[in-house]
């Protein structure tokens, strides 16, 4: 199998992730953060260590500002529903994923927020001057997709955050595609909120994600309930991380995530990003020469994530993807990738694209085999 | 009777953070259930020798760790 759907979820995971999850489920039962017997304390310690590792990856000074969630979607919803009130203005871009757009649309219709969407270029690039100008309108929150899950464009967070701070707005960064793959330093660029998945670039299991909330920022929790702390009170605690972690944590998942993050820290973000660049360059060199294949996005291997969207003249994308899977066991994702806005921006709405998204486990051999498979499909009669 | 001190906390996060910092400074500690004679927000606490009381207190303050109480305890 050639798995190139890492933007959806990464596969395979490092062996240490599997072993950790199995060890936790088999040998360390119990409820982390709730009980005082040996295995519960051990599990609590493992959860804490994972928090510390992720904090070190993103240069978060105080790991209690790093909340565990079920994924980027929950993290984003926590910020939007926790921060915004009627009358607040939100500025975002036309490259956003539905995990951003859907809650914002709901809040626009039902909660009185005002939404301003900055149009990006077909390569997914933001017009920074236009963006800065719009910030003058008393914007409460900026929401930015750090890396496009459709075409791999990386947003220039340094410049964007400078503008945001100049106009005293807050910024939420959707780092679903960049966490573990591209450097993120929350202190350096003064991020207010960072949302990411545990199961993509951080190489953890599905059902894990993180939310970073800057010190001195207070928002409403999305979920209220038992936290194993302050239990005589029937009110949600104010202190983090407990405030945002009601209910039983996905401890086996978080432990596995810890092993994934250890792997990322050992390999180093630079090495991981360079590997992606190598594969994207090789793939682009292969398909750009084929006139029938239209490639979308920046096409700059060292300045983008290893994510390529393409369509083929005269071929149904779904049929091509099906043949890639059925005849060659190549796993791609076809369609709108939960980002109708991104596809409208690049001009592929509503039919969508075939997306190939490389991971750290993919090899140059995988790239060559995908190119060979496409050649076979294109040399036969059109579907 | 052995004279110990215990630190109780609001959040389990602070228990493990404190545990890590004190172990790094080679202070002998145990992470134990909170004794029933003491009530606390979080069900586990850190126990150490009373001779280290001042040193531990200074470490907690300098690392800005939020704790509920630091008090002597007779076992």
């Amino acid at each position: 199998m050639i798995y190139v759907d890492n933007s959806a979820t990464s596969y395979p995971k490092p062996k240490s992730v599997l072993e950790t999850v199995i060890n936790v489920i088999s040998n360390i039962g119990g409820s982390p953060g709730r009980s005082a017997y040996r295995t519960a304390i051990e599990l609590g310690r493992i959860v804490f260590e994972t928090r510390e590792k992720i904090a070190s990856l993103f240069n978060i000074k105080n790991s209690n500002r790093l909340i565990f969630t079920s994924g980027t979607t929950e993290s984003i919803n926590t910020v939007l529903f926790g921060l915004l009130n009627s009358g607040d203005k939100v500025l975002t871009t036309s490259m956003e994923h539905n995990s951003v757009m859907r809650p914002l649309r709901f809040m626009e219709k039902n909660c009185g927020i005002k939404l301003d969407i900055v149009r990006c270029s077909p390569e997914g690039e933001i017009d920074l001057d236009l963006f800065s100008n719009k910030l003058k309108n008393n914007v409460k929150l900026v929401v930015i997709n750090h890396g496009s899950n459709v075409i791999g464009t990386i947003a220039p967070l340094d410049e964007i955050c400078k503008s945001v701070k100049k106009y005293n707005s807050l910024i939420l960064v959707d780092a679903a595609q960049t966490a573990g793959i591209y450097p993120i330093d929350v202190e350096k660029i003064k991020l207010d909120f960072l949302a990411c998945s545990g199961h993509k670039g951080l190489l953890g299991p599905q059902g894990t994600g993180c939310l970073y909330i800057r010190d001195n920022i207070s928002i409403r929790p999305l979920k209220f309930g038992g936290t194993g702390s302050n239990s005589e009170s029937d009110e949600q605690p104010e202190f983090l991380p407990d405030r945002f972690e009601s209910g039983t944590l996905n401890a086996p998942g978080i432990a596995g995530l810890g092993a994934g993050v250890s792997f990322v820290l050992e390999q180093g973000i630079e090495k991981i990003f360079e590997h992606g660049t190598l594969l994207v360059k090789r793939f682009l060199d292969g398909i750009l020469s084929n006139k029938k294949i239209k490639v979308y996005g920046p096409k700059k291997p060292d300045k983008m994530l290893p994510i390529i969207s393409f369509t083929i003249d005269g071929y149904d994308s779904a049929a091509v993807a099906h043949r890639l899977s059925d005849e060659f066991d190549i796993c791609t994702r076809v369609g709108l990738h939960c980002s109708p806005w991104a596809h409208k921006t690049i001009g592929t709405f509503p039919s969508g694209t075939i997306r190939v998204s490389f991971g750290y486990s993919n090899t140059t051999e995988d790239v060559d085999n995908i190119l060979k498979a496409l050649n076979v499909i294109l040399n036969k009669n059109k579907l | 009777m052995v004279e110990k001190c215990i630190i109780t906390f609001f959040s389990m996060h602070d228990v493990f953070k404190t545990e890590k910092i004190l172990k790094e400074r080679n202070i002998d500690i145990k992470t134990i259930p909170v004794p029933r004679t003491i009530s606390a927000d979080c069900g586990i606490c850190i126990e150490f020798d009373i001779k280290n009381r001042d040193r531990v207190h200074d470490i907690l303050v300098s690392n800005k760790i939020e704790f509920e109480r630091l008090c002597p305890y007779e076992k």
Side-chain angles (χ1 to χ4, degrees):
Chain A
M1 175 169 82
I2 298 174
Y3 182 87
V4 279
D5 193 25
N6 290 281
S7 280
T9 199
S10 52
Y11 176 86
K13 309 292 182 190
K15 192 152 166 260
S16 56
V17 172
L18 268 72
E19 285 166 354
T20 301
V21 174
I22 290 169
N23 180 46
V24 166
I25 295 178
S26 309
N27 303 318
I28 320 177
S31 192
R34 298 291 186 277
S35 308
Y37 46 85
R38 181 185 56 86
T39 55
I41 293 175
E42 202 179 328
L43 215 36
R45 205 174 277 129
I46 292 172
V47 167
F48 170 75
E49 284 302 328
T50 302
R51 229 184 276 274
E52 293 267 281
K53 285 174 199 170
I54 299 170
S56 98
L57 182 66
F58 298 137
N59 194 22
I60 296 168
K61 291 243 172 336
N62 198 343
S63 69
N64 72 353
R65 306 304 295 186
L66 194 284
I67 315 295
F68 289 121
T69 63
S70 60
T72 310
T73 301
E74 185 186 334
S75 301
I76 290 169
N77 274 262
T78 300
V79 176
L80 298 180
F81 286 100
L83 175 75
L84 299 171
N85 298 310
S86 181
D88 284 344
K89 285 201 186 96
V90 177
L91 180 62
T92 190
T93 80
S94 69
M95 287 300 291
E96 303 306 314
H97 185 275
N98 264 347
S99 56
V100 166
M101 290 313 299
R102 282 183 173 178
L104 284 176
R105 280 293 185 218
F106 176 86
M107 294 189 88
E108 188 186 37
K109 290 192 173 128
N110 300 284
C111 308
I113 67 145
K114 297 183 171 77
L115 188 55
D116 194 356
I117 302 170
V118 172
R119 197 92 202 172
C120 294
S121 72
E123 283 71 44
E125 277 146 7
I126 302 167
D127 179 337
L128 291 172
D129 290 331
L130 174 62
F131 193 80
S132 259
N133 243 342
K134 286 187 176 272
L135 278 170
K136 292 175 185 164
N137 301 330
N138 201 25
V139 169
K140 176 80 182 246
L141 178 72
V142 170
V143 187
I144 292 283
N145 181 267
H146 190 195
S148 168
N149 73 313
V150 176
I151 53 173
T153 311
I154 300 172
L157 277 191
D158 282 21
E159 289 100 314
I160 291 170
C161 287
K162 274 192 194 118
S163 297
V164 169
K165 289 304 131 195
K166 186 174 166 194
Y167 293 103
N168 293 316
S169 302
L170 295 170
I171 180 164
L172 162 62
V173 171
D174 169 5
Q177 299 297 323
T178 48
I181 296 171
Y182 191 79
I184 297 170
D185 183 331
V186 305
E187 272 307 311
K188 184 171 162 236
I189 53 179
K190 304 276 181 269
L191 276 190
D192 299 303
F193 306 101
L194 181 78
C196 68
S197 311
H199 65 98
K200 297 183 208 272
L202 297 182
L203 305 174
Q206 289 163 2
T208 61
C210 312
L211 170 63
Y212 160 71
I213 302 174
R214 169 170 288 289
D215 254 320
N216 301 319
I217 292 181
S218 180
I219 63 175
R220 298 174 292 264
L222 192 65
K223 306 178 293 195
F224 291 75
T227 58
S229 53
N230 219 12
S231 294
E232 327 82 55
S233 170
D234 63 2
E235 292 199 42
Q236 195 76 359
E238 293 289 329
F239 49 84
L240 272 61
D242 304 50
R243 181 168 174 74
F244 295 94
E245 291 181 355
S246 301
T248 303
L249 286 175
N250 175 4
I254 292 166
L257 172 58
V261 176
S262 288
F263 180 90
V264 168
L265 287 167
E266 277 153 25
Q267 299 296 310
I269 293 279
E270 287 73 25
K271 188 171 163 198
I272 291 171
F273 186 70
E274 271 165 22
H275 182 74
T277 300
L278 174 79
L279 300 179
V280 157
K281 184 172 188 318
R282 196 178 182 94
F283 189 64
L284 280 175
D285 286 347
I287 53 172
L288 283 172
S289 53
N290 190 323
K291 291 192 172 69
K292 279 192 195 154
I293 301 181
K294 181 164 183 194
V295 180
Y296 301 87
K299 303 189 246 322
K300 295 174 194 162
D302 59 340
K303 289 185 171 30
M304 57 185 280
L305 298 175
I307 300 169
I308 303 278
S309 264
F310 61 94
T311 51
I312 307 178
D313 235 1
Y315 287 74
D316 180 287
S317 295
V320 170
H322 177 71
R323 286 193 67 185
L324 283 169
S325 169
D326 204 43
E327 291 169 39
F328 303 96
D329 208 11
I330 295 171
C331 311
T332 63
R333 183 166 165 196
V334 77
L336 294 173
H337 313 103
C338 293
S339 298
W341 268 96
H343 282 277
K344 283 177 188 168
T345 303
I346 71 176
T348 51
F349 187 86
S351 46
T353 59
I354 301 167
R355 182 187 71 187
V356 163
S357 49
F358 297 108
Y360 196 54
S361 299
N362 288 121
T363 60
T364 49
E365 203 185 321
D366 288 341
V367 175
D368 295 345
N369 285 328
I370 299 169
L371 292 169
K372 281 183 200 149
L374 284 171
N375 274 336
V376 167
I377 292 170
L378 293 178
N379 286 337
K380 295 202 172 150
N381 289 334
K382 103 172 154 193
L383 299 147
Chain B
M1 297 265 204
V2 176
E3 279 211 77
K4 297 279 184 188
C5 266
I6 62 165
I7 319 166
T8 62
F9 299 88
F10 301 108
S11 161
M12 222 169 251
H13 177 87
D14 295 315
V15 176
F16 297 118
K17 186 172 172 182
T18 304
E19 193 186 56
K20 185 175 181 178
I21 292 173
L22 294 179
K23 278 185 177 168
E24 279 169 1
R25 283 153 181 75
N26 294 316
I27 295 174
D28 201 18
I29 58 164
K30 268 195 200 153
T31 304
I32 59 167
V34 175
R36 294 310 298 161
T37 48
I38 296 165
S39 76
D41 276 358
C42 166
I44 55 174
C45 63
I46 290 177
E47 179 195 83
F48 59 92
D49 238 23
I50 201 162
K51 70 179 192 222
N52 288 318
R53 183 182 181 162
D54 289 342
R55 194 172 159 218
V56 167
H57 184 262
D58 289 346
I59 291 169
L60 293 176
V61 168
S62 62
N63 284 277
K64 299 196 177 110
I65 293 175
E66 295 215 28
F67 62 96
E68 196 182 12
R69 264 187 295 177
L70 195 164
C71 56
Y73 170 65
E74 278 182 5
K75 276 186 101 144

